[in-house]
Amino acid sequence: MGAFLQFLVNGLTVGSFYALVALGYTMIYGIIRLINFAHGDIFMVGAFIGWTALAAVAAWHLPAIVALAVVLLVAMLATGALGLVIERVAYQPLLKAPRLSILITALGASLALENGVMLKYGAGFQTYPHLLAGTGFNLAGAQVKYAQIGFFLLSLALMAGLYLFVHRTPVGAAMRALALDQDAARLMGIHVEGVIMLTFFLGSALAAAAGVMYGTYYTQINFMMGFLLGLRAFTAAVLGGIGNIPGAMVGGLLIGLLEAFSSGYVSGQWKDVIVFAVLILVLVVKPTGLFGERVVERM
């Protein structure tokens, strides 16, 4: 029982990171039908911006929670701005081009981000400071850290905030209108380019939040960290039904749980095999993903 609970806690923690990144994949796909392969690297850049900001605020001697909140805000704003720049420079000129062109551009943006960070910070691992004490409590044999609870609750709050923004605000209604029909949305007076930019900003900011929490949780970051995590997050988006926001949330948590239970009950070396095998099985049975019936609505 203790081991099961431990895997459950670990899976939900890392799954919440996957869900935040998966939301960026699914929002961008829902709006412009682009699989943004650079999104995993935006997560990585967010982690590095957070690491840099942490070094800067260390001199202020702030309490750990306050320092982390400041760093999260800085990383989300800066990475959101980076998402805007990428959208304006790399994607916007190609929105009317064949899908293959913009897909190749996404791969190019991914490589540019990876190599840019490598040149700036080096190819080795960078270490996050141990901001949060590893204290926690015992729950039926499982060690639950307060940091895990905090990261999970913060991720849920960000996901809930995004869901409410998309479904309860006029701007969110505009995003959903774009997902259905861009031309019709434009005729209704919606600023299509502005909504697309906002979507990139929000997706990138959420990825940055995941990056900072990931760095604080695992304490090591590297310029290649976005590749595999981005692949898992994309898998989560597809598993939940890409283009569907609740689907991305659920898919991220499921991938995290699958990974944790596979590592615990089988082997860490087999976790990716099992995760992607389950994905293939789900897609064979239900090609549109778990929430596929809502893909038509897109958002």
Side-chain angles (χ1 to χ4, degrees), residues 49-50 53 57 68-80 208 212:
I49 290 175
V57 303
L68 186 58
V70 171
V71 166
L72 268 171
L73 184 61
V74 170
M76 291 175 72
L77 291 175
T79 311
V212 172

Side-chain angles (χ1 to χ4, degrees), residues 57-245:
V57 303
W60 300 352
H61 303 293
L62 297 172
I65 296 297
V66 177
L68 186 58
V70 171
V71 166
L72 268 171
L73 184 61
V74 170
M76 291 175 72
L77 291 175
T79 311
L82 173 67
L84 288 181
V85 171
I86 292 175
E87 191 275 335
R88 288 285 92 185
V89 174
Y91 299 147
Q92 197 278 334
L94 295 173
L95 288 181
K96 301 295 183 184
R99 292 291 90 185
L100 184 59
S101 301
I102 197 167
L103 198 63
I104 292 172
T105 303
L107 291 172
S110 169
L111 291 173
L113 290 175
E114 286 176 7
N115 286 278
V117 171
M118 184 190 70
L119 291 172
K120 171 68 177 174
Y121 294 97
F125 283 90
Q126 304 294 341
T127 304
Y128 259 66
H130 291 273
L131 268 184
L132 304 175
T135 55
F137 58 91
N138 188 293
L139 178 65
Q143 290 297 320
V144 182
K145 296 178 182 176
Y146 294 125
Q148 289 178 304
I149 297 174
F151 289 147
F152 182 68
L153 292 178
L154 178 58
S155 299
L156 286 185
L158 290 171
M159 288 186 263
L162 176 71
Y163 182 84
L164 292 175
F165 177 79
V166 170
H167 289 271
R168 301 290 175 83
T169 67
V171 178
M175 293 172 70
R176 287 183 286 128
L178 250 71
L180 290 173
D181 191 325
Q182 282 197 18
D183 294 330
R186 196 186 300 276
L187 289 173
M188 292 172 64
I190 294 173
H191 191 290
V192 172
E193 288 74 18
V195 174
I196 293 174
M197 290 172 66
L198 177 64
T199 304
F200 271 83
F201 179 86
L202 291 175
S204 301
L206 291 176
V212 172
M213 288 191 282
Y214 182 97
T216 309
Y217 183 61
Y218 288 108
T219 69
Q220 284 195 328
I221 58 174
N222 178 268
F223 76 101
M224 285 298 293
M225 63 185 280
F227 175 74
L228 192 54
L229 190 139
L231 198 57
R232 290 171 183 156
F234 174 66
T235 302
V238 174
L239 181 64
I242 192 162
N244 185 288
I245 287 179

